[in-house]
């Protein structure tokens, strides 16, 4: 009697072929999954780049709009301040020129108020 292992039988050959087919299918699907992963990573990277560019463009646009609004508000404020100063100067000049506003111009009225009934006697 020999203790040699039995050789492959018909059922063993079928099992080996099935295992080979399974291994080939696993390898094929592994490649498909890897390719899909790489493609999805590439798409995600492109989309991230596009969204970053969109955010940067929106920030630049908002900053430009803010700067424009700030400049417009500054211009309006300067015009308003100039108008107020101009009106104040005109009012001050007008008040200085009007007769009767200075104390010397109202001397009689002031004496009458201060002296009251003593001024007429």
């Amino acid at each position: 009697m020999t203790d040699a292992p039995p050789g492959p039988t018909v059922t063993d050959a079928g099992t080996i072929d099935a295992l080979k087919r399974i291994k080939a299918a696993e390898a094929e699907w592994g490649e498909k999954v890897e390719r899909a992963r790489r493609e999805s990573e590439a798409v995600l990277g492109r989309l991230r780049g596009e969204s970053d560019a969109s955010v940067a463009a929106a920030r630049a646009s908002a900053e430009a709009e803010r700067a424009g609004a700030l400049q417009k508000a500054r211009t309006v404020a300067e015009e308003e301040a100039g108008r107020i100063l101009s009106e104040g100067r005109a009012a001050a000049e007008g008040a200085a020129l009007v007769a009767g506003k200075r104390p010397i111009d109202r001397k009689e009225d002031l004496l009458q108020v201060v002296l009251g009934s003593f001024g007429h006697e």
Side-chain angles (χ1 to χ4, degrees):
M1 297 218 169
T2 59
D3 288 334
T9 63
V10 174
T11 57
D12 289 341
T15 304
I16 291 175
D17 288 339
L19 288 175
K20 286 180 182 179
R21 284 192 307 273
I22 291 172
K23 182 67 176 171
E26 285 177 345
E28 177 185 349
W29 280 101
E31 290 172 9
K32 287 181 181 181
V33 168
E34 183 61 27
R35 184 174 39 252
R37 184 189 62 75
R38 283 192 308 268
E39 289 173 2
S40 65
E41 285 177 356
V43 169
L44 283 175
R46 183 179 47 83
L47 292 174
R48 280 188 192 111
E50 289 175 2
S51 68
D52 290 346
S54 294
V55 168
R59 281 185 181 151
S61 174
E63 179 61 27
E65 189 174 325
R66 183 194 68 79
L70 182 62
Q71 183 59 40
K72 184 178 179 180
R74 204 175 270 145
T75 301
V76 169
E78 287 173 357
E79 289 172 357
E80 180 70 13
R83 187 184 59 77
I84 291 170
L85 286 172
S86 176
E87 289 175 2
R89 283 187 192 114
E93 289 171 3
L97 295 176
V98 174
K101 294 284 183 172
R102 297 176 304 170
I104 194 71
D105 295 337
R106 302 198 54 184
K107 176 182 173 184
E108 293 300 321
D109 294 334
L110 286 172
L111 285 174
Q112 188 174 5
V113 169
V114 172
L115 297 176
S117 61
F118 298 115
H120 293 295
E121 293 180 10

